[in-house]
Every structure is written in structure tokens, then in C-alpha cells.
């Protein structure tokens, strides 16, 4: 992998991680076009994606730094004092919501680790189908959602429901932000509230998967491999920050139908290209 390729992949990762369009789909398409995915070792590409996601983790931590400090501080302080959960502040309860929402992806991620890292999750038919199916679900959510609940009204049931949706995003092409945003809309949250919780909920999952893969491969990286990985991760952090800021601002006054249309076009295009033989599955 060259430095230019690392920059391109980092840019794609950062921009597509937080938009509901699937970073895995875009990275896999571009990685295949660049000849970077070894079909005999598909887990290597999974490792690369997970590590570069650490850049987008930095973006979330920086963008929501005040929220995170408030949540952690209140959570530790109020639980050490044994304040009943129902009487805790919104910040402390947010810590519980993030913890509850993380449980599904931990269970499913560990149970299906080999499948997630295998060749099936790089399959373009799987990616194209996921892009289309999630687009349809997001459109349904847009049509039936009430959009009348702020993030302060999030309940434990909502957190588990959105967390289960995040676990579905282990299927490539689904999109972590796409599945959680869709679930948030079905739960009646405003678009901005659903996106905000989606970003906060992503922190434990991205950190766990990225650090796990990093420590797995760090001992096998040479100088060139380390440099390209650092460059891609740094670029993903900068572009990820810009992506978060854009989406939160955009969803205050717009629906998600721009992303729905994009997913339908991309997913449909992939499936047609595979069907006619322009792309191998």
C-alpha cells in the first residue's frame, strides 16, 4: 500500500463511517479496485478496517469531549454514591444507556467472529443487498417515525433496541450509523438525537475492535506498513470529525432521504454489476 492509497482509504473511512452509507462497503470497493484485498487472507482486510477506525474513534472523542467528560464524571460520582439509577442525572444515565447498548454487539461479535473476519463479509452480493435493504428500512422509518423525543428521553429499552441494531451492522454494507440511526427513528427520537446517541454508542465498539486488531498485528508490521497505517488512521480522524459535524447540522433541517437514494443507487449498481459479470462477487 502506498501513501497515496493510505490517504484515499483514510479519507473514505472518515467520511463514510458516520454517514449512513457504510464505510465497509466503500473501503471494500476501493480496496478491490486498488488490488489491496488478498482473497486468500480476507481477515487481513478486516484487520486494516478495524485499525483505521481508531481514527474515527479519535474524531468522536474530540467532537464529544465535553459530553464524554460529563458522562464519565457523573457516572462514576453518582454510582459511587449509590444514587438509584432513576434518580441519577441525564449524564450518568447516559453512561448506563451506552453500556446497555454495547452488550448486543459484544455478544454477537464474539459469537460470529470467524464469519465476520471471513470471505463472506467481503462478498459484493452481501454488501449490495445490505445497502438496499437498509435503505428500505430507513425509508420506512422516515415515514412512520414521530421525531418527537429528545435524547434526554432515551430509555433502557431504547438503548438495547438501538444496540441490537448496531450489532446488525456487523453485516457489511449495513452501516453502523445507518442501522442505529434507523432504530433511533423507529424509537421516536428526533433525527439529531438518534445520530448523537449513535455516535456515542459507537465509542466502545470501535475502541474494542480497533485495539484488538491493532495488538494482533502490531508485532508483524514493518516500517512501511506502520507508516501507511498511521497515515490512513490520521486522515480518517480529520475527515471523521468533519463528517460528524456535517451530519448533525444536516439532520436538524433535513431528512435522511439523500442517503437513502445514494444507498439504493450504490447497492443496486453493485448487484447489477455482479449479475452481468462486470464485478466478481
Amino acid at each position: 500500500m502506498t501513501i497515496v492509497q493510505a490517504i484515499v482509504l483514510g479519507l473514505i473511512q472518515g467520511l463514510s463511517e458516520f454517514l449512513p452509507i457504510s464505510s465497509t462497503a466503500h473501503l471494500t470497493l476501493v480496496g478491490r479496485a486498488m488490488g489491496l484485498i488478498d482473497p486468500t487472507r480476507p481477515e487481513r482486510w478486516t484487520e486494516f478496517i478495524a485499525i483505521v477506525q481508531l481514527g474515527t474513534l479519535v474524531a468522536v472523542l474530540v467532537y464529544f469531549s465535553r459530553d464524554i467528560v460529563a458522562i464519565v464524571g457523573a457516572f462514576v460520582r453518582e454510582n459511587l454514591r449509590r444514587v438509584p439509577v432513576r434518580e441519577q442525572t441525564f449524564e450518568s444515565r447516559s453512561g448506563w444507556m451506552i453500556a446497555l447498548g454495547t452488550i448486543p454487539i459484544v455478544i454477537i461479535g464474539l459469537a460470529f467472529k470467524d464469519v465476520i473476519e471471513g470471505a463472506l463479509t467481503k462478498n459484493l452480493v452481501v454488501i449490495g443487498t445490505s445497502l438496499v435493504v437498509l435503505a428500505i428500512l430507513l425509508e420506512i422509518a422516515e415515514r412512520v417515525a414521530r421525531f418527537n423525543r429528545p435524547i434526554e428521553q432515551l430509555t433502557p429499552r431504547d438503548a438495547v433496541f438501538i444496540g441490537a441494531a448496531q450489532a446488525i451492522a456487523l453485516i457489511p454494507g449495513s452501516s453502523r450509523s445507518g442501522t442505529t440511526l434507523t432504530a433511533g427513528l423507529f424509537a421516536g427520537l428526533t433525527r439529531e438525537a438518534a445520530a448523537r446517541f449513535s455516535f456515542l454508542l459507537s465509542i466502545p465498539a470501535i475502541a474494542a475492535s480497533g485495539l484488538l486488531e491493532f495488538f494482533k498485528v502490531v508485532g508483524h508490521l514493518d516500517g512501511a506498513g506502520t507508516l501507511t497505517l498511521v497515515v490512513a488512521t490520521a486522515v480518517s480522524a480529520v475527515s471523521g470529525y468533519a463528517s460528524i459535524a456535517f451530519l448533525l447540522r444536516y439532520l436538524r433541517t433535513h431528512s435522511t432521504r439523500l442517503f437513502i437514494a445514494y444507498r439504493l443507487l450504490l447497492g443496486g449498481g453493485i448487484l447489477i454489476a455482479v449479475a452481468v459479470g462486470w464485478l466478481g462477487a
Side-chain angles (χ1 to χ4, degrees), residues 10 26 33 36 43 54 63 74 99 168 215 272:
H26 288 76
L36 298 175
E43 70 278 2
L54 291 174
Y63 192 92
I168 294 174
F215 287 117
I272 291 172

Side-chain angles (χ1 to χ4, degrees), residues 9-260:
L9 292 173
L11 185 64
I12 291 171
Q13 165 61 31
L15 292 177
S16 59
E17 174 67 28
F18 298 114
L19 301 181
I21 57 175
S22 178
S23 60
T24 301
H26 288 76
L27 284 173
T28 300
L29 285 171
V30 175
R32 285 176 60 125
M34 292 179 174
L36 298 175
I37 303 177
D38 183 353
T40 65
R41 300 294 300 275
E43 70 278 2
R44 293 287 181 85
W45 189 245
T46 303
E47 292 169 355
F48 172 79
I49 291 175
I51 294 172
V52 174
Q53 280 182 336
L54 291 174
T56 51
L57 172 64
V58 172
V60 177
L61 293 176
V62 172
Y63 192 92
F64 293 104
S65 57
R66 291 184 179 179
D67 302 73
I68 293 168
V69 169
I71 289 171
V72 173
F75 184 83
V76 172
R77 182 172 58 254
E78 295 177 28
N79 284 286
L80 284 178
R81 294 175 180 174
R82 298 185 179 181
V83 177
V85 175
R86 291 184 178 181
E87 298 176 15
Q88 291 180 9
T89 61
F90 165 69
E91 287 76 13
S92 182
R93 285 186 287 107
S94 293
W96 284 112
M97 298 303 171
I98 292 169
L100 284 172
T102 301
I103 293 173
I105 198 169
V106 171
I107 295 173
I108 295 176
L110 291 175
F112 296 96
K113 183 176 183 295
D114 292 339
V115 175
I116 293 167
E117 294 182 349
L120 181 63
T121 59
K122 316 305 179 295
N123 187 290
L124 292 186
V125 173
V126 173
I127 290 174
T129 301
S130 296
L131 284 165
V132 172
V133 170
L134 196 280
I136 294 171
L137 289 175
L138 188 51
E139 174 60 27
I140 294 172
E142 282 284 357
R143 290 174 181 268
V144 304
R146 299 187 303 274
F147 308 113
N148 60 357
R149 297 176 60 203
I151 195 170
E152 289 81 6
Q153 293 183 9
L154 194 73
T155 67
R157 180 180 295 180
D158 296 329
V160 173
F161 176 58
I162 297 172
Q166 179 177 234
I168 294 174
L170 292 171
I171 302 172
S174 299
S175 167
R176 187 195 312 277
S177 61
T179 57
T180 51
L181 179 59
T182 300
L185 296 185
F186 274 122
L189 296 176
T190 65
R191 296 185 184 94
E192 185 181 2
R196 184 172 291 271
F197 184 67
S198 168
F199 296 150
L200 292 172
L201 184 61
S202 74
I203 294 174
I206 294 177
S209 62
L211 291 174
L212 177 65
E213 299 299 344
F214 174 76
F215 287 117
K216 183 191 297 185
V217 305
V218 66
H220 306 290
L221 291 173
D222 55 19
T226 301
L227 178 60
T228 54
L229 200 55
V230 169
V231 169
T233 304
V235 173
S236 76
V238 176
S239 56
Y241 186 95
S243 179
I244 293 172
F246 163 76
L247 187 62
L248 288 176
R249 185 170 59 250
Y250 181 84
L251 291 179
R252 288 173 192 149
T253 56
H254 298 80
S255 73
T256 62
R257 287 195 170 90
L258 172 65
F259 307 111
I260 292 171

